Amino acid sequence: MSLKELPKLELHLHLEGAAPPSFIRGLAQEKSVDLSGIFREDGSYAFRDFVHFLSVYEAATSVLKTPDDYARLTRAVLEESAAHGVVYCETFVSPDFCGGGDVGAWREYLHAMQEAAAEAEARDGITLRGIVTCIRHFGPDKAKDAARCAAETAGDWIVGFGMGGDESKGRQGDFSYSFDMAREAGLHLTTHAGEWGGAKSVREALDDLKVERIGHGVQAINDHALCDRLAEDGIVLEVCPGSNVVLGVYPKWDKHPIQALRERGVKVTVSTDDPPFFHTTMTREYEQLARTFGWGPSDFHEISQVALDAAFCDADTRAKIAEKLKDHPQ
Ligand code: MCF
Ligand code: ZN
């Protein structure tokens, strides 16, 4: 079986960040918004560095203005993911962009995304779940609005709460009120840490927010005691190697620590993060892992099992996805 067809789980995908550039250009045209500054001549997204990436992301997102826009986005993203063998996906969604943190408006966006996801599941056999995400550089007060939206809509579709954004702004612990609220509502927790903020930020995420997964977390490799802690506590890293290489966390694939982390016993999974921004797909991530580290069927099988165990979905969904992995022996 080719790497493209191999059934895959993806636990770290930002919904707007997965928008094909042509989709965003089309919406901009419909709404007469000039977004020419965020695209290169070849049509791809243009950004210089991490901070510029965040502002281009927000500019692209600015043309998504209604629940129906989000339904269309969800359809476009899931069609692309399913074409790369993804059978289960968790996506970051932000009430900041979907109704400005208002719970009533958020419910309407959520309903539109869920309906689109149900259609995609029936058509392409891909299951989607949502992780409500606050945005670190928007600050702790906006995060409380996001957490309230998350708590009010927690259930079998909104399964987690997380945080992304600029790791240089504030500390993980500044957001503990929001993470506590989400935990009390029964949500699973993850946060971006150890992408830019060093091993220290991963420790803060564990100590102050008590998360069970870490977005990226790759800089933990510089602290062997922390790796031991991650391994012992079964904390799972949502590793996005292609994203790290394009944003310059690591200069090239063979300097990426994903294999070294595995060798230290840390549980890792593989995701694309914001695939068109980073010129990647799940197939490309797998191809690069095979080329760079010699990963073969047993490695990909192990990665899928780790992701299945770490997925935030309920037991019925997990069992259904497990069957899909069994249907395709690797
Ligand atoms: O993982 C990448 C890079 N590191 C940090 N944050 C983000 C990444 N992709 C998107 N984000 C953030 C960004 O602030 O998540 C938000 C964006 O606005 C969207 S969450 C639906
Ligand atoms: Zn991310």
Side-chain angles (χ1 to χ4, degrees):
M1 183 182 283
S2 76
L3 284 180
K4 189 173 183 186
E5 286 155 19
L6 205 64
K8 303 172 185 73
L9 288 82
E10 178 164 37
L11 301 183
H12 188 121
L13 182 75
H14 299 261
L15 189 58
E16 301 88 359
S22 57
F23 175 85
I24 294 295
R25 260 194 308 277
L27 270 187
Q29 221 160 23
E30 275 175 34
K31 295 167 195 244
S32 305
V33 178
D34 178 17
L35 274 189
S36 51
I38 69 162
F39 296 110
R40 287 185 224 281
E41 264 181 27
D42 67 3
S44 62
Y45 293 112
F47 52 91
R48 292 180 299 276
D49 52 27
F50 176 56
V51 172
H52 190 216
F53 158 77
L54 294 174
S55 77
V56 169
Y57 187 113
E58 283 163 33
T61 300
S62 70
V63 299
L64 293 154
K65 291 183 191 294
T66 67
D68 185 55
D69 292 340
Y70 270 85
R72 288 163 69 186
L73 172 64
T74 305
R75 272 185 223 115
V77 169
L78 290 180
E79 191 180 327
E80 182 66 13
S81 290
H84 287 279
V86 177
V87 294
Y88 177 81
C89 177
E90 288 177 11
T91 190
F92 297 118
V93 283
S94 171
D96 290 289
F97 300 141
C98 299
D102 175 80
V103 177
W106 164 245
R107 282 188 196 282
E108 290 180 28
Y109 281 82
L110 183 57
H111 181 73
M113 291 185 269
Q114 275 186 264
E115 232 175 37
E119 281 165 30
E121 181 154 14
R123 194 185 54 233
D124 296 327
I126 180 169
T127 301
L128 183 69
R129 294 292 182 261
I131 299 174
V132 169
T133 305
C134 64
I135 297 174
R136 184 155 166 175
H137 51 277
F138 291 179
D141 283 339
K142 296 297 289 175
K144 285 179 193 167
D145 292 341
R148 223 166 277 122
C149 289
E152 289 291 331
T153 55
D156 61 0
W157 203 85
I158 289 296
V159 292
F161 183 73
M163 177 162 67
D166 189 347
E167 246 193 281
S168 73
K169 299 286 187 303
R171 299 156 54 92
Q172 300 280 358
D174 299 340
F175 298 85
S176 56
Y177 180 96
S178 295
F179 278 76
D180 288 347
M181 196 195 310
R183 186 183 312 100
E184 278 159 27
L187 288 161
H188 293 281
L189 303 178
T190 178
T191 185
H192 285 56
E195 179 190 19
W196 302 100
K200 180 171 159 278
S201 72
V202 176
R203 285 185 183 279
E204 280 176 17
L206 299 176
D207 293 337
D208 299 344
L209 303 184
K210 302 182 175 51
V211 293
E212 53 210 280
R213 293 193 333 221
I214 302 271
H216 299 290
V218 284
Q219 293 186 338
I221 195 64
N222 301 321
D223 180 338
H224 292 173
L226 175 60
C227 288
D228 292 346
R229 177 176 174 189
L230 293 171
E232 273 160 33
D233 293 351
I235 304 292
V236 171
L237 304 188
E238 305 153 7
V239 181
C240 310
S243 158
N244 295 154
V245 171
V246 170
L247 285 176
V249 181
Y250 298 100
K252 37 190 185 140
W253 270 80
D254 60 10
K255 303 282 182 219
H256 195 280
I258 188 166
Q259 179 59 19
L261 285 160
R262 279 180 91 202
E263 284 164 12
R264 293 214 147 262
V266 178
K267 290 186 175 176
V268 303
T269 59
V270 172
S271 297
T272 58
D273 212 6
D274 304 282
F277 281 87
F278 307 136
H279 309 283
T280 193
T281 60
M282 282 299 279
T283 307
R284 272 197 208 146
E285 295 294 314
Y286 275 39
E287 284 169 353
Q288 284 287 4
L289 290 163
R291 196 173 304 144
T292 314
F293 302 111
W295 285 20
S298 63
D299 300 284
F300 292 120
H301 179 74
E302 186 185 300
I303 291 296
S304 292
Q305 283 303 319
V306 170
L308 183 66
D309 292 344
F312 288 166
C313 61
D314 60 26
D316 285 354
T317 309
R318 200 187 315 280
K320 204 176 64 186
I321 305 303
E323 284 304 314
K324 292 197 178 175
L325 294 183
K326 266 196 224 139
D327 287 348
H328 297 81
Q330 291 163 25

